[in-house]
Amino acid sequence: MAVADESVALAARRVAFHQDRGVRIDHVRRPTRVGYKAGALAHGLTETDGEFVAIFDADFVPTPDFLRRTLPRFDAPNVGVVQTRWGHLNADESLFTRLQAFGLNAHFLVEQVGRAAGGHFLNFNGTGGVWRRSCIEDAGGWQADTLTEDLDLSYRAQLRGWRFVYRPDIVAPAELPACLDALNSQQYRWNKGAAETARKHLGRVWRHPRLSLATRLHATFHLLDSSVFTVILLMAVLSVPLVLLVLMRAHRPELKPLFHLAAVFVLTFALLTYYYHTTWRLAGGPATGRWFAPQFLLFLAVSMGLALHNTRAVVLGFRGKATPFIRTPKQGSGGIVLPAGDKEARAARVRGPLPLAEGLLTLYFAAGLGAGFYYHDPGLLPFHVLLVAGHGTLTYYGLRQRRPAVTAPKLAPVLAG
């Protein structure tokens, strides 16, 4: 049975309210959570015979004209999905929400736009979009063997020849995770699921006879995107002994250029352009350096700080180790405290690395930072500054938020189980 928090009663009351006013709406609850979200979506299809299926997570607030703006985009029989851009209801609530919005905006305003323009594989983002029912059925339906059922079905459908349409001009606002536990839960699911989907489909992409080389390469980078955290973690861990081993040997000046390259690696032109272009598009003009620069650096730092947590998720994904689907806690306008005995709440709290591990990494990278100052070599200083800032920030918030209770969803998905 699904978690019995207040969201069930809240959803039931709102459904009854609209039913009394003649709206065709049902509150459907499954007796078990078999298949988690994929199982809920598959069950939902048995409750309707509609040709098109709009999907929203419970914290999404689409505009009243959403269907009028999306359904006309199914203007060809091979269009299987229309995906819209996510907006953010609470982007300015905290440091974490601002940085999440910063990263997600880049995904929706650069990545998805670029894939669509190049005719490459897109991904349905799990919510804020509309599927053609026949596309879902032709691709094999919703499957629960990955934690990212949306990415999995997206690849199966496009490998079958279905076309996806992306509309960045249509925005579906939603709530961002407001605390570190919620962010950890979401990041774990996204990164582990991406690795599981890569394990499942990467070979099929390269064996497909009708895909161009460019599309195969784009799909490879797309599916392996979460693996970048393993590279970041490996580079970070090795960087400290590298400082000690090389800088203590002043007679090896030929290795100095490696450190100077590392100094600019984290601030590459590609990354700056990527995120600056996003900010430019949102602002409708040049991005204000006063706000862009600190946001960009903080985003890099926190992303590096998440490397240990996300690497664990990626490794488990590639190993094929099954784990349950944990809902991302959302607190809504006021927040609801889950009972202390709630199993899902406890799972969400302990999913991330312990603050002790983050704290030890902070000290470890601070040692590398100190070594750079001691040996008067700035080569890895920018890298270590970001690592200390990122891991230190997560340590602080992890200790601050690791309490007996956690905020719960104000409104759980209607078909959450």
Side-chain angles (χ1 to χ4, degrees):
M1 182 70 73
V3 177
D5 56 48
E6 295 180 33
S7 61
V8 176
L10 177 62
R13 288 196 299 270
R14 296 309 298 173
V15 168
F17 174 85
H18 291 294
Q19 285 177 335
D20 290 343
R21 284 152 181 78
V23 178
R24 182 186 172 189
I25 182 172
D26 295 302
H27 182 202
V28 179
R29 298 190 66 213
R30 299 184 297 154
T32 68
R33 292 191 70 199
V34 173
Y36 302 108
K37 184 176 179 179
L41 290 168
H43 181 79
L45 289 179
T46 67
E47 299 287 330
T48 178
D49 57 0
E51 181 183 359
F52 298 101
V53 181
I55 298 175
F56 298 101
D57 285 351
D59 55 301
F60 273 70
V61 187
T63 58
D65 63 348
F66 182 87
L67 292 179
R68 290 190 179 94
R69 298 183 66 189
T70 53
L71 288 180
R73 310 302 175 185
F74 289 91
D75 52 3
N78 68 332
V79 174
V81 172
V82 174
Q83 173 68 55
T84 66
R85 176 164 61 94
W86 292 5
H88 315 296
L89 297 171
N90 60 333
D92 296 324
E93 182 176 325
S94 68
L95 171 67
F96 282 113
T97 56
R98 285 193 293 272
L99 295 182
Q100 288 174 75
F102 187 78
L104 285 171
N105 287 337
H107 168 73
F108 283 101
L109 288 170
V110 179
E111 285 184 41
Q112 292 286 64
V113 170
R115 292 183 186 119
H120 305 304
F121 281 13
L122 290 165
N123 60 292
F124 171 63
N125 292 105
T127 176
V130 184
W131 281 82
R132 191 188 295 269
R133 184 191 188 97
S134 56
C135 173
I136 298 174
E137 294 171 345
D138 179 68
W142 298 101
Q143 297 177 6
D145 55 349
T146 75
L147 289 181
T148 47
E149 73 296 321
D150 46 7
L151 181 62
D152 171 39
L153 183 57
S154 296
Y155 265 77
R156 283 187 280 119
Q158 288 168 106
L159 286 168
R160 294 279 297 171
W162 290 92
R163 185 164 66 89
F164 283 24
V165 172
Y166 177 59
R167 300 296 306 188
D169 56 313
I170 305 174
V171 181
E175 182 183 333
L176 294 162
C179 66
L180 180 58
D181 284 332
L183 177 63
N184 275 335
S185 176
Q186 185 184 73
Q187 286 287 306
Y188 180 90
R189 191 173 68 248
W190 285 357
N191 286 285
K192 182 174 185 290
E196 290 170 334
T197 306
R199 186 172 182 261
K200 182 175 179 179
H201 291 302
L202 194 54
R204 296 182 60 200
V205 166
W206 281 96
R207 291 191 299 269
H208 197 285
R210 292 187 297 277
L211 295 182
S212 68
L213 178 60
T215 294
R216 293 179 189 185
L217 289 172
H218 273 81
T220 299
F221 285 113
H222 186 193
L223 289 171
L224 296 178
D225 182 57
S226 63
S227 300
V228 70
F229 288 104
T230 63
V231 178
I232 292 173
L233 181 62
L234 183 62
M235 288 176 55
V237 170
L238 293 178
S239 66
V240 175
L242 188 63
V243 171
L244 299 175
L245 290 173
V246 176
L247 292 183
M248 288 173 65
R249 291 165 172 78
H251 62 282
R252 300 292 301 274
E254 69 273 12
L255 296 176
K256 292 283 186 177
L258 292 176
F259 288 84
H260 296 298
L261 278 176
V264 299
F265 173 77
V266 295
L267 300 175
T268 60
F269 178 76
L271 275 177
L272 283 167
T273 303
Y274 175 61
Y275 288 106
Y276 189 85
H277 179 72
T278 301
T279 309
W280 179 300
R281 291 198 62 179
L282 282 174
T288 304
R290 177 185 174 188
W291 298 112
F292 172 75
Q295 273 194 315
F296 175 66
L297 293 174
L298 278 171
F299 177 78
L300 285 183
V302 173
S303 296
M304 291 177 181
L306 288 167
L308 175 62
H309 173 263
N310 291 346
T311 293
R312 175 176 175 268
V314 170
V315 170
L316 291 176
F318 279 117
R319 284 179 53 195
K321 182 177 176 60
T323 53
F325 185 104
I326 303 297
R327 292 185 302 172
T328 301
K330 301 289 180 66
Q331 64 185 26
S333 58
I336 300 172
V337 178
L338 286 177
D342 189 297
K343 293 181 180 179
E344 188 171 20
R346 290 201 303 270
R349 281 202 299 274
V350 302
R351 179 171 294 286
L354 293 174
L356 175 61
E358 296 294 340
L360 290 175
L361 283 174
T362 303
L363 295 175
Y364 178 74
F365 297 127
L369 185 62
F373 279 113
Y374 181 81
Y375 290 107
H376 305 290
D377 194 296
L380 286 171
L381 288 182
F383 190 42
H384 286 148
V385 166
L386 291 175
L387 287 169
V388 170
H391 287 82
T393 298
L394 294 182
T395 299
Y396 170 75
Y397 279 97
L399 290 171
R400 181 180 175 184
Q401 296 177 6
R402 200 156 296 274
R403 295 171 181 172
V406 65
T407 53
K410 179 79 179 241
L411 177 60
V414 174
L415 293 176

